[in-house]
Amino acid sequence: MIAKGEGRLGIRFDFVYWQMMFQLLQMNYEIVYLSPDEREVWLQSTRERKAPLVRLVRTDMDWGVSLKNDMNRALVAVDEWRKRQFRRQLQVINVYVMMYPPLDDWELYVQRPFTTGRVHMQTYVMHLYNMYDVLHKLSTQFHQSLKVYVPDDSPMLQQELQTFKQHVLSFAERMYENERRIFERGKARFTYVFIALQIVMFFILEWNGGSTNTLTLIQYGAKFNPLILQGEWWRFFTPIVLHIGFLHLFMNTFALYYLGPLVEKLYGSFRFLFIYLFAGFAGSLASFLFSSSVSAGASGAIFGCFGALLYFGKAKPHIFFRTIGMNVITVIGINLAFGLVVPNIDNAGHIGGLIGGFLAANIVHFPKERVRFGQWFAALFTAVVTLICLYIGFQRPPADQAQLILALSKQYIDEREYGQAEQMLTLIHEQDAEAYKADFLRAYIHIQQKDYDDAKQYLYDAIEKNNRFHEAYHYLALLYAEEKNYEKAKQAAERALQLEPNNEQYQRLLLELEQLL
């Protein structure tokens, strides 16, 4: 009869164990480990990453040394789990639920926490004689009341326990399903639209001059600061679908194929569209501010997807770090380091896209969740920062833009695209230090078009801006010689040679003119 009564008392304490598990689940804890015999469970908070890990153990131990050995085993196992979760420190509440305490002096093992330096484990032994005292201590530690009871003896107790266990496990499963649905709030629609669009645009670029041809890229909307300063604001967006060479296209398409669906399912399609476009804009804006180079590519928008995942980590840190967190952080770090080490990568665009994606995700938040004050604040903050950046960019154009314009104008001239070259040269202001070179190129264009009068005027304009520009004098000498005005041709040739006395071409020209005179 005693054995039978103790057996039922054990079942009644099984109820206590499962009640504690259920209450922790209701306190926004979730199961991260359940032993095969269901007599050991680990639970962590879904709300606060720094909240302690809870270990519940349903056991009966006769001796304190068994308790000590299990605590040491648990400390090692928890520390391994901490490392896999990339957590620097971990607090653990370790609770044993048993009918009777061990027979010897076991209290000395639980008086002070066990620690490995990184793990701090406080142990409680809950038994028939101290149950309510331990519950009070745990309630104080959790800042929330824990209430369990030992059920009355009943012939149906075992069946009732099974029913209650199933209820607890079903509750935990529903929590897991709700968490899993977070990653399935939408379908990947716009991701594949952007993939298709950038592939189509790549073939259009290749068909019309080549995707590595700077002039073709500018013609189709690459980020080019001088034209943005002229009012072509759409160049903040059009670079998102343009790529420079097949490798660039392949890498960004590959990244978008794997990253885009995750973000689009997490935020929903239209939120993803906003995040992707705003991140692409932010990447172009950062490049506009910090780089004068012609640039294109979806990298800023793709980094914006990383930024959106970082916001997910900020909003739901436990889910983030338990699922994708460290992978995301590692890949971001590798890509940023790659951009710093490898030349000709627009790292400003990458960082701008990352920040833009984070801010855009903060604005839209997650589907089926109420609008929060933080979203309005994020929208206001983002708008103010964007306007400040635009103001700075338009008031402080890059110092070396004239050199870039001149180089591109020469490319147009080499391809006999004289109209495009002249249009490009209009982007150089008269007060610019390089303006005399623009006048010289205009003169060269008009010479090719047999418009010698305008050519001479542009050469004189170049000399007025820089009277030591010997190439302008040389071309004036050639033009006057073409008109058979050898006297003026000789004067110009002499000035060119005076400025560049070792130039053999100038020496020959002057000698020919003297012979003609």
Side-chain angles (χ1 to χ4, degrees):
M1 293 294 294
I2 294 175
K4 183 177 180 180
E6 287 186 352
R8 289 196 176 169
L9 183 58
I11 295 174
R12 291 159 70 187
F13 259 75
D14 289 344
F15 259 106
V16 172
Y17 167 76
W18 284 96
Q19 285 177 70
M20 291 189 66
M21 190 191 307
F22 185 55
Q23 288 206 34
L24 287 167
L25 291 172
Q26 291 179 314
M27 290 164 54
N28 296 302
Y29 274 73
E30 63 183 353
I31 297 173
V32 295
Y33 170 74
L34 182 64
S35 65
D37 61 4
E38 300 178 344
R39 294 177 70 84
E40 178 182 347
V41 63
W42 298 6
L43 303 105
Q44 68 174 355
S45 173
T46 61
R47 294 290 180 86
E48 187 180 348
R49 182 165 170 79
K50 293 183 179 180
L53 178 75
V54 180
R55 178 178 182 253
L56 295 178
V57 182
R58 173 67 183 96
T59 185
D60 289 298
M61 296 180 181
D62 292 333
W63 304 104
V65 68
S66 299
L67 179 67
K68 178 185 177 182
N69 291 338
D70 187 77
M71 291 168 63
N72 285 324
R73 180 188 64 81
L75 195 65
V76 172
V78 168
D79 194 40
E80 288 298 318
W81 182 83
R82 175 195 64 81
K83 293 174 184 177
R84 291 196 298 270
Q85 295 294 310
F86 297 93
R87 295 175 66 167
R88 295 186 59 191
Q89 302 285 338
L90 183 62
Q91 300 289 327
V92 182
I93 295 177
N94 184 35
V95 182
Y96 293 95
V97 180
M98 56 181 70
M99 286 189 297
Y100 302 110
L103 298 174
D104 55 358
D105 295 330
W106 56 271
E107 288 91 346
L108 60 92
Y109 299 125
V110 299
Q111 285 176 352
R112 288 180 298 181
F114 271 32
T115 181
T116 63
R118 297 285 186 178
V119 176
H120 184 92
M121 187 171 75
Q122 178 66 58
T123 297
Y124 298 92
V125 176
M126 178 189 292
H127 52 79
L128 185 63
Y129 307 118
N130 74 344
M131 184 174 72
Y132 295 107
D133 182 50
V134 171
L135 284 174
H136 176 71
K137 292 178 181 178
L138 291 174
S139 298
T140 302
Q141 197 149 5
F142 286 118
H143 306 292
Q144 192 166 338
S145 177
L146 281 172
K147 295 179 181 179
V148 300
Y149 70 97
V150 180
D152 295 331
D153 194 6
S154 166
M156 304 294 292
L157 197 59
Q158 183 66 48
Q159 183 177 344
E160 291 172 6
L161 175 62
Q162 293 302 321
T163 302
F164 184 64
K165 284 171 58 176
Q166 189 58 46
H167 172 67
V168 175
L169 294 175
S170 296
F171 184 85
E173 182 65 24
R174 287 196 299 275
M175 290 181 63
Y176 171 76
E177 285 297 317
N178 290 337
E179 179 181 301
R180 187 179 59 80
R181 290 193 192 100
I182 291 174
F183 294 95
E184 297 179 356
R185 286 169 165 164
K187 294 183 179 180
R189 296 188 179 94
F190 287 114
T191 295
Y192 301 119
V193 170
F194 281 113
I195 287 175
L197 191 56
Q198 63 194 36
I199 291 174
V200 168
M201 289 306 302
F202 176 78
F203 284 110
I204 291 175
L205 292 175
E206 288 294 320
W207 187 265
N208 291 278
S211 62
T212 57
N213 185 307
T214 304
L215 302 181
T216 303
L217 287 166
I218 292 174
Q219 180 183 352
Y220 280 88
K223 188 228 76 175
F224 182 50
N225 292 2
L227 290 178
I228 292 177
L229 291 168
Q230 292 294 308
E232 296 187 8
W233 56 266
W234 56 86
R235 291 182 182 271
F236 285 121
F237 295 94
T238 48
I240 297 173
V241 296
L242 304 177
H243 289 84
I244 306 172
F246 177 77
L247 181 61
H248 190 206
L249 172 72
F250 175 79
M251 295 299 292
N252 277 350
T253 303
F254 182 80
L256 182 56
Y257 178 78
Y258 281 100
L259 187 61
L262 173 62
V263 177
E264 190 166 356
K265 289 178 180 179
L266 183 61
Y267 286 91
S269 292
F270 287 101
R271 284 175 171 82
F272 168 78
L273 179 63
F274 175 76
I275 291 168
Y276 194 80
L277 290 177
F278 184 80
F281 162 78
S284 297
L285 178 58
S287 180
F288 173 65
L289 285 171
F290 298 105
S291 172
S292 61
S293 301
V294 176
S295 63
S299 301
I302 291 169
F303 266 84
C305 292
F306 283 120
L309 293 177
L310 288 181
Y311 174 73
F312 171 61
K314 171 182 172 291
K316 301 182 185 297
H318 251 82
I319 300 174
F320 177 75
F321 283 101
R322 198 176 66 257
T323 53
I324 59 175
M326 292 313 301
N327 290 335
V328 169
I329 293 172
T330 301
V331 172
I332 292 173
I334 291 172
N335 278 276
L336 290 177
F338 187 77
L340 292 171
V341 172
V342 178
N344 300 322
I345 290 182
D346 191 353
N347 229 29
H350 293 177
I351 296 172
L354 184 71
I355 296 172
F358 181 86
L359 292 174
N362 208 329
I363 293 170
V364 299
H365 199 55
F366 303 107
K368 300 179 182 178
E369 295 189 18
R370 63 185 180 85
V371 176
R372 306 166 307 122
F373 172 76
Q375 291 176 251
W376 294 108
F377 178 78
L380 178 62
F381 176 80
T382 302
V384 170
V385 170
T386 301
L387 290 173
I388 290 173
C389 290
L390 287 170
Y391 177 80
I392 292 173
F394 278 93
Q395 293 299 315
R396 185 182 56 83
D400 56 350
Q401 74 171 30
Q403 293 286 352
L404 179 60
I405 294 171
L406 289 170
L408 293 172
S409 299
K410 289 176 183 177
Q411 287 188 45
Y412 276 124
I413 290 170
D414 291 341
E415 296 182 9
R416 301 182 183 275
E417 297 282 350
Y418 299 130
Q420 295 281 5
E422 285 209 81
Q423 183 180 355
M424 187 72 67
L425 291 168
T426 61
L427 301 175
I428 297 180
H429 301 294
E430 284 294 307
Q431 63 271 23
D432 196 290
E434 304 290 325
Y436 71 96
K437 294 181 181 178
D439 288 331
F440 179 75
L441 289 179
R442 290 189 183 98
Y444 181 85
I445 291 170
H446 284 271
I447 289 172
Q448 299 303 312
Q449 296 172 336
K450 309 297 183 185
D451 184 1
Y452 299 137
D453 289 337
D454 282 347
K456 285 187 291 184
Q457 184 58 52
Y458 280 122
L459 289 171
Y460 278 118
D461 289 343
I463 291 168
E464 185 179 350
K465 293 182 177 73
N466 182 358
N467 61 8
R468 300 190 61 80
F469 188 31
H470 55 85
E471 291 96 333
Y473 288 107
H474 175 65
Y475 271 82
L476 272 175
L478 293 173
L479 287 175
Y480 279 123
E482 183 73 18
E483 295 174 349
K484 296 185 170 43
N485 190 340
Y486 300 123
E487 188 61 40
K488 283 192 173 184
K490 179 173 176 293
Q491 293 174 5
E494 288 174 340
R495 178 58 176 159
L497 189 60
Q498 180 185 356
L499 293 171
E500 194 74 10
N502 296 323
N503 191 306
E504 295 180 1
Q505 186 178 8
Y506 296 176
Q507 293 171 359
R508 287 196 300 271
L509 176 61
L510 182 59
L511 182 61
E512 291 174 3
L513 290 172
E514 288 175 344
Q515 291 174 351
L516 289 170
L517 285 170

